[in-house]
Structures are given as C-alpha cells and as structure tokens.
Amino acid sequence: MPCKDPAGSTNHQSGMARMLDVQFRHLRYDVFEPVIDACYHASQQLAVSLGQPTPLDYEAQQRTARGTQYFLFRDVELEDLRFEREGIHLRLSFACPARLRQRHLLSSGHLESGMLMAVIGLDANMTVSTTFCKIEIRQSTLAMKPITGNHFRAAVVASFADPTDTDAVRQALQGLRSSREKDKFAIVEFPSVLVAGYDWILKHLQQLSSNSTEVAFSDLIAPTSSQHSQEIPKPAYTGRGFDLSILQATNEDDSCPTPTVGPGFLQSAASERNNVIENICSTTTLDRGQATALCENLSRGLAFTQGPPGTGKTYLGVSLAKVILRHVPNKPILVACMTNHALDNFLGDLVKEGITKVARLGNGSKEDWIGKHTLASLAKNFKLTYGESLRIGKSYRGTESLLKDGTKWCEALNSQTLTWDAVRDHLERNYWKAFNDLSKCLSRKEAEIEDIHRKRSTAGAFAFQHWSTGGDLKDIEAFKREIRSWFGKTKLDDSGESEDFPQSSPLTPSVHRLANPIDYSSGVPWDDVWSLPMAGRIALLAKWESELGASNTLDKLVEIQQRYHAARETKSDAHNEVDARLLAGQDVIGMTTTACAKHWSMLKTLDLQTLICEEAGEIMEAQTITTLLPSITHAIFIGDPLQLRPQVDQPCLSLETTQGSKYRLDESLFERMAMPRAPGAQSLPVSKLNLQRRMHPDVADLMRATLYPFLQDHPSTTRLPVAGMAHRTFWLDHQEPEDIPDPLAVGGRSYSNSFECAMISELVRYLLNTNDFDSGDISVLVPYSRQLACLKERLSRTVNCSIALSDEDKEDLADMGLLDDAGQQPFRMDVEVRTMVRLATIDGFQGEEAKVIILSTVRSNLQDRVGFLQTTNRINVACSRARNGFYIVGNSTLLRTVDMWGSIIADFHSKERIELDSEFALDRIFEMSSFGEISDTTCSMAEACKKALQCPQCGASCGGVQRYRHIRQFQLAPVTIERLYKMFGRKMDMGASSIRKDIENLDSGFQWFCKSIDMGPVASQQSAALIKARMTYLMSTQTAITQFRDQVVRKAEKDVEQTIGRLGDTYTSKTPSLSFKCRFDVLYLHCRWIQLREATRIIQFVEKAYDSKLMDAVIGTLRLRTIAEAKESIQEAGMLVAECRSKTIKRVEAEALIIRVGFARLIETLDTAEPSQQKDVSKWLEQANNLAAEYPDTAGLLKSSLESVKKYWHGEKNMAELWTPEARVFWEKWGRFRTGSLVYCEHGHPYTTALYRGCPECGRFVDPTVPAAQPDYESRLNRDKFLEVLQRMTGTH
C-alpha cells in the first residue's frame, strides 16, 4: 500500500492522480480489511461445524485473532425472493440466538438497515462462497413464525451490495437456491460498516482517477514537483471588492462609513488593513479575530480558518455566506459538512439570519424545521417543463414495467412449480393449443376469471394457476357423490359418451378422465389440457420444466435486474435535470460530503463557485475531495485541526501510531495544508479566531497553557461561582487501579475504573442536591464505552436522575452488549428535581458544551499505558467543553507522562486545585427537604421564604434563584394536579366518544357487510378480509386508550399521590384514592365487549345465511378465539371489580359487573357445550342490582344497562345494549371538567363541583333495608288559606 507522502514508492507521478489513488487505497483498506478478516474467520467457523447440527442456542459474537469483532448467524436458508425498488431482495432466515428472540432483535441494534453483511457458504467439497449484501429490514422470530412454524428463526431482507455485477448475482442466487442438505450458509454482520458511508466515496474516487483535473485547486492541494511555489488565487468574482453593509448592526449611526474589503486587502499595508478591520469591528458584531478572518477568507480562493473552542466558527461562516450572497446573488453557495448534525446547525443559523432559500439534500436530518427545505418538499411547488414531464414519465413507466416483470419472475422462482410467466413464451412458441386454452377466459370459469382479472395483469395467470393446482378438479371431487347418484354404477364407454349423461355437459371430459385413468409412461396427450387429471397435469408440467431448463427462470430474473438498474439510471438522470434547475434558484445548497459524492454529476451542471465547509478538521481528505467541484473558485474551510481528527477503524492507518504515520488516513486536508508533515511541503496561510465566549477564564487557562496561547476571553465568560463547590476547576487525584478487562469479551479492549465511577456518581448526586442545575447542565465525559456503561448503571441505580446518551454511544454500547433493551425513562410528574445528566464519550461530544463537565480519565496502571487520552486532539476536546465548572477524576502520576497533560496538571498545581484522595474542596451545600424547607442558608427564615418567595430578613427575591425554584413548584402543585385531572377527563371523554362513534358505524354498516360478503370459493379471501376489517375496527380506539392508561395514567397517579402526601394537610385532609386508571380499564372492557359482540353477530349471520365449507376454517377459528377472549375478559373484569371495591369506586364496579355478564352470555351463545355460568351470573347480577339500589346517584344511573343485560342473559334480547344514553352522560361530564372547583370526597375521589353535586363514583349511600320515610303532605297544607283563595277566585263567601 503506497505511503501518503510523494517520497514513498508508487507507480504514479506526483500530483492529483497519485493523491486520488492513495486516498482510494487507504480508504478501501480501512473499510474492507476487517471485513476480509471477519469473512475468513467465519468460513473457518463454518468448516468446523460442517456436518454438525446447529444448536438451539449459540453465541453470535465472534472475535478474530486480529481483534476484529463481528456477529455470525448460523443455519441460513433462502425463504423467498422479492423485487423491490432496489432490485432483487433476498429474505434469509437464520437460527436466532435465544437472547434475540421475540422482539429483542428489533431493539438490539443488530442487522440494522443500510449496514453491510455477507452471506458465507460452504459446500461438502469445502468450497467457500461469499456474497456481500446491504441490509434492508430485519424480521423477528414473531414475524417469521407464520412462515417457519416456530419461534426459533428470525430473518433479514437484504439487497445485493453491487446489483450491477450480474455474474455475482447469478452465482449467489444459484448457490442459495440449489443448496443441498450438507451445505452450510451463515450471515456475517459487520456492525460498524454502513454501505452508504463508503460506497459513494470510493466510487467517486475511482471516477475522478480517470480525470484528475476535475478537482478544484489540484495544483495547490496536490502539486507536482514543479508546482511547489504556487500562489493562492483570489476568488473569481472578487471584482472591486466586497460590500459588508449586510453585516452592519441595526443601531449603528448612519454617519459611519460602510465597511468594505477591497480586492487588494492582503497586499495592502498593515496600517490600511488595520483600519479596515477596526471599521468592521465598530460597525458589525464581529470581534477582531472574526473580522480579520472574514477579510482574509474573502481575499483567498482557497481559505482556511482555525477556530479554537467557543470562538464562533459557525457565526463567521454565516457572515461569509451573507456577504457572498449579496455580492454574487444568482449563484448558490454549496455548504458541506461531515455529519448531518453539523450541517443542520449551520443551515439553521443561516435561516435565522434571513437566508430562507435553502435546499437540504439527504435524508439524515432529525430536525423538524428541515422538512420544508428538503428537495422533495421544494419540488412539490416546482413546475416542470413539457420536455421534463415527458422524460420523467417515460422513465417512470419503464422502471415500473420492469419492476412488475421482476416481481413476476421472483414469484416464479419462489414457486415450487412452474408459473405462467415462466412458461408462457415457451407454450406460445411450441404448444399453441395449450397456450390458447390457458390464456383465454373459459365460460365455465367466467365468474372467477372476472374477479381475479381485476387483480392480475392477465387472466392466463389465474387460469394457469387454477389448472396447475387442480382447482377445477377439486370442484369435481366435491360433486363426486352427486354424480354417482345421477348415474349409479354406469360404466362410460371409451368414446366418453353415455346415454344417461349428455355430451354437451362441460364436466364430461373431466368425468371421463376420472373414470378411466390413463397410462402416461408413453407420453402426455396434451391436446385438451383441461381434460387431464392431476397426474397428467403433473407429468405435463414436469415435461415443460425439463424443456425450459433449470436456469431459464434465474437467467430471466438476472436479465431483468440488469435492465431495471439501467432504467433506474435513466430515471435518475431525468430527475437530476429537474433537481439541478430547482437548485439553481436557491441561495444555499446544503449536504454532507457523502451526498456530494452521490450528486457530483448533478452538482457539476450548476457551475457552483463557492464552497463553505464546516468542521473541516474532522473530514478525511478522501471525503473533502468530493466537495471540490471543478467550477469552485472560492473554497472556505472552517474548523480546528487541533480538535478531533477524522475517525478511522484501522490503527495502522492513523498518525497516532508509529506505523500509521506513513499513511495518515485520519489527517484532514485542513491539517495537511496548515501543518504539513511531508518533507519539504509548504504550509498554506491560516486565519485564526482568538476570542472565546464559552469557557470561564479559569477553564480557558488550561487551553492557554497548552494549545492556544493567543486565546482571549470575552467579558461574558465571567460568571457566578459553581454552587456548592469551592473552586471552578479541580482535579481529584488518585492511585486506584483500573478494572482488568476480559480479553475474550466483546469490547475487551475497552476499559473502566470502578473507583472513578463511584466518585463521579456521588459528585453528580451532590451537585444535583444543590438545586442549582437544570436538566442537561451536567455532563460526564469518558474516553471508553465500558466506563460509560458502568456510569450509566450506577447513576441510574444510586442517583435520582435520568440519563441521556447520544445515538452513537447507544449503538456502541449495544454492539458491546452493555445496553439493556428497555432504555426508556419512566414518565414522571413528581415535583422533585427532574434531571437528565448527559453521559458521553469524548469523541461523541465534539461541538457540544455544558455548564459543568466532569471528566473520568479511567486509565490507572503500573505499565504507564495512557490509552486514548495520549492524543492532544482528544485532550483538547475533553478540556474545552465546560462553561462554568470543570472537574477531573484521574491518576495524574500516569497522565503527566503525556506532555499536554503535564502542562494541564501544572496549571492545577499552580492554583492548588489538585489533591490526592480529597473531597473535591466542597463548599456549603444548600439543601431543601421534600417539603420545601431550606437549610444552611444566609437567611434563617426558611418558612417565610417558602410562603412569599422573598426573604423578609434581607429582602432578596428568591423567585429567580434556581435552588429555590421548587418552592414555587410546591405552590403551583395544586394547580398542576387539577390540570392533570382535566387532561384525564378530556381523554376519557374522547375515548368514550370514539367508542360511541365506532358502535354507530358498525351498526349502520352491518347491512352493507351482509350484502358484500360472499362465501364462494374465489371470494373467500375477500370475505375473510371483510370480517377482519370489522373485527379490528375498534383497534385504534382500544390501542389509544390502553397506551394512555399504561404510559401516562398509571405512573402519573402514583406521582400525584406521592406529591399530595408531601403537601400534607395544606392541600387536603383526605387520603387520595385516584380512580382514573379504573375508568380507563372499563373503557377498555367496553372496547372488548363491542369487538366480541361484533364477532358473535358475524358468526351467527354467516352460519345462518351460508352453508359453505370454504369459510368453516375462518368462522371456526373466529368462534374459538372469541370464546377464549371472552373468558379472559371475564377474568379482567373480575380483577377490576376487586380493585374498585378496595377503592370504593362503586359506579365503575357496577359497570364492570354488567359487562362481565355480557361476556358470559357471549360464551353461552357460541358454545352450548360450555358449562353454564348461571350461578356466577346470578351472583354478578345481584351484586350490580344491590349497587344500583345502594348508590342511586352513581351506580343507579346504570339501571337501563342492567335491565338490558338481564334480558340478554335470559334470552329475551338478541344483544345487550350496555352503552345506554344514561351511562354515556358520566363520560361526557368528565370532558367538561372545569378547574378551580376541585374537591375530594370522604373516600378520596377527586371531582369537580361545577359538574357534580356529589362524588360521581361513590355518591350518596341509601340502605335498602330501611324503608324510606313517607312525606307528610298534610302538614304542608294550610286549609284555611286554601279556602280563602278558592272563594276569591269563584266570587263566593
């Protein structure tokens, strides 16, 4: 492999051609060396297991002798082929390890979409085959059970990594389809190899190799021996200079001169340059370093700007974009970044500055606002020309036609017998009579053909399938008994005619063949294919299959695959033409470097002149080249080569190792141009930003002592002290050894330190208890994933906080088996501190910041092995993320062997902020109890502060002090709880309304259902679908109810009860007994009742209206399932009754009892053999009746439902009406819940007095054994007054 420096041996001369070749070889080695190693190791594993059965459970994790980690999934079988948008897809099933069964595979991080995998095959002759594929989707054992018939096999759907390699595709399909019993196949998963991450870059480098002059600034980036002293040109559009008025602050005096940068800025005198910079600083918001960099970037065609942490690199990039767009208004700027996250941040800042014509290419964004800037969104309002519409339409029709053809031929290969598509051309050429009989719609099958014709492209496909499977013969077999009754034992003669059976009958040929079997040893009489019995048809199919040859269908599919991808290229070209015209009207085009490689051809047509590349120090040279279009005359690279470098997988290619120093794949173009390592290479000028706005000066001192002696602090960095800490920076020194890793385990090269884990966990607890930090204010950085897992486990267990991990760190932990499947934090409504501490590896925290950073250095050993933290770039990132406080836990004796650590440790020593086994020099802690009482403050009147949020002793306001914010939260707790009840009430009403509407729709649509259902043999599948649609009609409502109940109500009720307990008598003297969960339970039971009621109604209708054996399986299965679900629902209703009794929730208890009776009646209706539940039902009815009598204001409202279910149970009604208008009023009132009127009844049930006169659950108790007092009407009459009034009205005395 060639060295990076031109002095190394190579077949190329110096220059861009050599550079492209070197970058291609290095990147290919970095990607594929571990792939080759893993495949070789996997083939050895297969050889060892050849001839042995695959165990039921096995360990998929594997490690090669070179340390490559991969996953090997055994016993692979080809289930079927599909033809999708990407071409041929293989569904490969495999023996699933026990830990990945059920749904665990989907949450494990294994076999994720877009990743590379290999199918390794080994036959009995020890011949190895390897096929590389891209993973499309994965399927769990649950999803595969209907196909495999067991819960031991999962599957993955994959496409070919290189679908254009037809020979490899044909060989792979042939090997998988014709595998014998002794052949072994396995899937090799490469968890860190994303196909899109390397494929486009490598292909682009190959294309450029044929024309290396297409790379902009090639004479500066890769000069030949005669080009070493090339001068950096000015941007082509410099003209008379740049007007910077777009950057002027709005409050500036109009008398100030408009800042400009002339074309000769770099060549002008120092005093003149200084005047320009001073003018820019006084009229804009740029600081001096940014103003200088702005002028230099506008004056150089190839410009580099180094920005130390917190110096405003993005702000400079946005300012440059605004100036250039003002200067060159009709040319879009290309913005390129390595990651989607960095790209979205930069584009977001551009949009905030008023640059709204932004197009974002690629699908990797997680930001919602990006949606309207995507290419797909912009294209919706973009009008096509007539020619463009024609080209796109033609290309679309071409791909769709081939897609359908590919699907047909995949089905032909999947089928165990011949299909119509496979045999059609052969029959048309050689068996015209058979082709004609099978392709036309026969009169006796007109009804079936007409129905299927709507679903298939040709009627012949259905006719052939019906014929080859003996569909017509099965109909005859069903009529056999009737035929015999017609003719008795009459023997048909050889001519097929009979006196008793007319020859005109369409069944005559078939009956004749059935009665007189033919010997097919001498051939098949195929003149009338419909008259052949099944044996003859099988023989004829075998004859046609042998004539076609085994590989005919496979060759046809591979040919279609090749044509399909050519058609896709044509379609892509047509769309690219439109996209290029759309993008030409934008101001900014943003994409990742990978997307640049993918869209290189389209971007070339735009004739772009300006490139702004953010975080350029993190981008490999191979990826940077993809941004340098030949038309670019102004390339601006902004980053910091002293922070994290590009990531490589092979240490032997990294400049951090002795061997890798010759190759330096992780050296960015920025770093090579700014700090060249090649002998004799000249560095290019680099602008430097020098004013940082992130770190407090104490933290920034660490950077000044090491890498950035020129760094200055903005006044805003002087902030308040870190509450509870005596110092803003501190090093807890120790000599505790690191944990010894298991070299055989996955992640065996990752390290942890239990001592540091314990110390950091307690420090996090301490800082959270100071009540001075919000969610996300604290971040813990570690160099190793194993320490990350250790801290996650301990913090989750010992500290009351939630943990935030980045997606990248989650993937790393999942690959190492250190991340549990749950990963979800519980819902919380508690008024205690809600925290989400960020845990991250150093490499995953580039570009991030936090108020307080705690760094765990992990390594502590006697061998002086520093590990990852010996690299200055990584040390730089670790020590420059903190805004207010920075605390290190580590072994300084070990780390001081690294020069940069030595300087940092010296700074800590000079300030006396490093101590061995100290207590972090903790300051007074400000504590507050769960009741809001504050202790150890300068004010002693904590209770007064609690009530007024203002200290009566010193007069200070506590409302804006974070450590006192929970006082306010306690004051607002009653309002919060009432709003929560209101939300629950609305959700209950929404659920009840949805149930009511579903009932109405099901009832109104039943007659249509009865007319639409057809029990005929062809329509059985359609009828089953109609039944399924009605059975699942309530599924969305039921799912919404159960999800809200389980994810919100259950957890929130517990939190509310705890909060009310803490508030004590100041809130309510009643012990809360919340009933919302029970109410959602009864809504769920209503859904179940309606669903099972509908199933019963369907069963009764089908059995009454049809006598069809074709639907017996569907109806029989439905009957058994309905009975089982009803029994389960009875048990669930019983548990709800018990819970309601314990909480005195009488209304819901009565409703659950009524529904329970309904379920019991359904069972009686569907299964007469089931033992009667008369005794239980009588008891339930009696209990419901008693509740209605004892609690007339609550349970008594269900009398109409109770009477309906009684009649239903006794057979007086066909179906009970449980959702009566009286019952619905309860739910509707909860939907009108009003705040400000909340009270608790004597049993602790909350309700609103604005809607209810009493508790809607327990209500007024009436003892039915005590007779009601008769009203004394006579005592209320005044006889004399009555007579007086009567006389006055009648005029008598």
Side-chain angles (χ1 to χ4, degrees), residues 266 355 362 517 543 583 653 703 805 832 943 972 1072 1131 1176 1269:
L266 293 177
I355 302 174
K543 180 177 186 297
L583 293 174
L653 297 178
M703 297 293 96
L805 296 173
E832 288 186 346
E943 190 64 26
L972 296 177
Q1131 295 178 355
D1176 292 334

Side-chain angles (χ1 to χ4, degrees), residues 1084-1085 1088 1121-1135 1159 1163:
Y1084 161 76
L1085 288 176
R1088 302 295 290 159
R1121 191 64 202 165
T1122 303
I1123 294 171
E1125 291 290 339
K1127 291 179 179 179
E1128 184 178 342
S1129 297
I1130 288 176
Q1131 295 178 355
E1132 292 176 341
M1135 291 187 289
F1159 287 131
I1163 297 174

Side-chain angles (χ1 to χ4, degrees), residues 33-49 59-72 74 120 122 128 130 186 188 190:
E33 185 60 23
V35 171
I36 296 170
D37 186 30
C39 289
Y40 179 74
H41 187 268
S43 63
Q44 292 178 320
Q45 297 295 309
L46 278 184
V48 171
S49 63
E59 180 53 61
Q61 291 181 345
Q62 300 289 329
R63 170 180 280 190
T64 70
R66 297 176 58 181
T68 302
Q69 296 175 4
Y70 71 96
F71 295 89
L72 184 67
R74 303 174 182 271
I120 305 291
L122 186 67
V128 178
T130 304
V188 179
F190 314 102

Side-chain angles (χ1 to χ4, degrees), residues 199-225:
D199 188 48
W200 290 107
I201 302 293
L202 289 175
K203 287 180 179 178
H204 181 62
L205 291 175
Q206 281 183 315
Q207 294 170 359
L208 287 178
S209 296
S210 60
N211 189 5
S212 58
T213 58
E214 286 202 344
V215 181
F217 303 106
S218 57
D219 55 339
L220 292 173
I221 295 172
T224 61
S225 56

Side-chain angles (χ1 to χ4, degrees), residues 200-455:
W200 290 107
I201 302 293
L202 289 175
K203 287 180 179 178
H204 181 62
L205 291 175
Q206 281 183 315
Q207 294 170 359
L208 287 178
S209 296
S210 60
N211 189 5
S212 58
T213 58
E214 286 202 344
V215 181
F217 303 106
S218 57
D219 55 339
L220 292 173
I221 295 172
T224 61
S225 56
S226 60
Q227 294 177 325
H228 276 299
S229 59
Q230 287 292 321
E231 197 174 299
I232 299 177
K234 298 176 185 177
Y237 47 67
T238 299
R240 296 183 179 180
F242 296 88
D243 179 6
L244 307 186
S245 58
I246 189 69
L247 302 180
Q248 280 185 291
T250 56
N251 58 351
E252 288 298 327
D253 188 358
D254 294 338
S255 61
C256 294
T258 300
T260 58
V261 178
F265 173 81
L266 293 177
Q267 292 75 31
S268 62
S271 58
E272 187 177 342
R273 293 199 301 271
N274 186 64
N275 291 336
V276 172
I277 293 171
E278 289 294 341
N279 185 24
I280 295 174
C281 293
S282 62
T283 56
T284 70
T285 56
L286 297 173
D287 60 50
R288 186 174 182 83
Q290 291 170 334
T292 304
L294 179 80
C295 297
E296 293 174 347
N297 276 267
L298 293 174
S299 303
R300 295 178 181 136
L302 180 61
F304 296 91
T305 299
Q306 178 187 8
T311 53
K313 295 186 289 293
T314 301
Y315 187 73
L316 171 65
V318 171
S319 300
L320 284 165
K322 291 169 67 176
V323 172
I324 294 172
L325 286 173
R326 169 66 68 88
H327 189 72
V328 191
N330 298 321
K331 280 289 183 180
I333 295 176
L334 176 62
V335 173
C337 299
M338 174 64 185
T339 64
N340 287 292
H341 177 67
L343 178 62
D344 291 342
N345 286 343
F346 189 83
L347 295 181
D349 288 342
L350 287 174
V351 172
K352 291 176 184 177
E353 290 294 324
I355 302 174
T356 56
K357 296 175 68 175
V358 174
R360 204 312 192 164
L361 276 66
N363 301 318
S365 176
K366 297 181 180 179
E367 301 291 337
D368 294 335
W369 64 268
I370 282 290
K372 64 180 180 181
H373 295 284
T374 61
L375 199 57
S377 179
L378 294 173
K380 292 179 181 178
N381 301 318
F382 190 70
K383 188 175 181 179
L384 303 180
T385 65
Y386 179 73
E388 290 169 345
S389 299
L390 285 179
R391 283 188 290 274
I392 290 178
K394 182 179 179 181
S395 63
Y396 176 81
R397 290 189 294 272
T399 54
E400 289 301 305
S401 175
L402 289 170
L403 183 62
K404 292 177 181 178
D405 291 342
T407 301
K408 293 177 183 178
W409 286 98
C410 281
E411 291 175 354
L413 280 174
N414 294 333
S415 176
Q416 299 298 321
T417 59
L418 279 179
T419 63
W420 177 246
D421 295 301
V423 78
R424 176 177 178 171
D425 293 341
H426 181 66
L427 295 184
E428 190 173 7
R429 288 193 305 267
N430 304 303
Y431 298 89
W432 168 251
K433 180 66 168 57
F435 172 79
N436 189 51
D437 289 343
L438 292 171
S439 60
K440 68 180 182 181
C441 296
L442 302 179
S443 59
R444 60 182 174 182
K445 290 295 174 187
E446 282 180 353
E448 293 91 336
I449 294 293
E450 184 180 357
D451 182 70
I452 296 299
H453 188 69
R454 292 193 297 266
K455 302 178 182 179

Side-chain angles (χ1 to χ4, degrees), residues 261 309 352 398 430 598 621 652 778 983 1055 1072 1147:
V261 178
K352 291 176 184 177
N430 304 303
K598 180 179 179 180
E621 282 200 62
C652 62
I778 302 174
M983 178 183 68
D1055 288 341
R1147 188 198 178 286

Side-chain angles (χ1 to χ4, degrees), residues 1224-1246:
R1224 293 200 297 263
V1225 171
F1226 169 81
W1227 305 101
E1228 293 171 355
K1229 280 190 175 182
W1230 269 107
R1232 302 194 300 270
F1233 186 97
R1234 299 177 188 173
T1235 57
S1237 56
L1238 180 70
V1239 296
Y1240 289 84
C1241 74
E1242 59 180 341
H1243 296 111
H1245 305 145

Side-chain angles (χ1 to χ4, degrees), residues 585-604:
Q586 303 299 311
D587 287 336
V588 174
I589 303 172
M591 61 182 69
T592 62
T593 53
T594 301
C596 286
K598 180 179 179 180
H599 299 287
W600 174 272
S601 299
M602 179 190 67
L603 293 175
K604 279 203 307 181

